[in-house]
Amino acid sequence: MAQGVFARASSFDAVIRISTNAGDVLDDVIALPRGLALKVMDVPDDRLPGSEDETSQDFIMVNGPVSPLPLAVRFSRT
């Protein structure tokens, strides 16, 4: 599992985005999908085809029981 940003002990600049479906500030008792996106900057090493010029690595997390995009290919850029 030690690949990409996890390949070796390092520190990176990162940006976090917290989101909710409604766009309003709602109490946590209201059941809506909530997400967190993490963009890690200046990550070295190889890239997937089509993203060789990119330098960041993105992580997308959602608290729902099922992904709205169940196929990983839907996240890729073509």
Side-chain angles (χ1 to χ4, degrees), residues 29-47:
V29 299
I30 298 174
L32 288 173
R34 298 173 195 270
L36 184 137
L38 173 64
K39 179 179 278 296
V40 183
M41 309 303 225
D42 300 319
V43 178
D45 295 323
D46 297 334
R47 299 278 180 229

Side-chain angles (χ1 to χ4, degrees), residues 42-70:
D42 300 319
V43 178
D45 295 323
D46 297 334
R47 299 278 180 229
L48 293 173
S51 63
E52 294 89 355
D53 295 333
E54 299 292 327
T55 60
S56 62
Q57 187 168 349
D58 299 322
F59 297 87
I60 301 170
M61 296 156 266
V62 179
N63 71 335
V66 178
S67 172
L69 299 172

Side-chain angles (χ1 to χ4, degrees), residues 4-29:
V5 72
F6 304 109
R8 60 193 140 296
S10 300
S11 61
F12 298 95
D13 289 333
V15 178
I16 294 176
R17 179 177 182 259
I18 300 171
S19 61
T20 185
N21 222 8
D24 300 328
V25 177
L26 300 172
D27 195 277
D28 287 340
V29 299

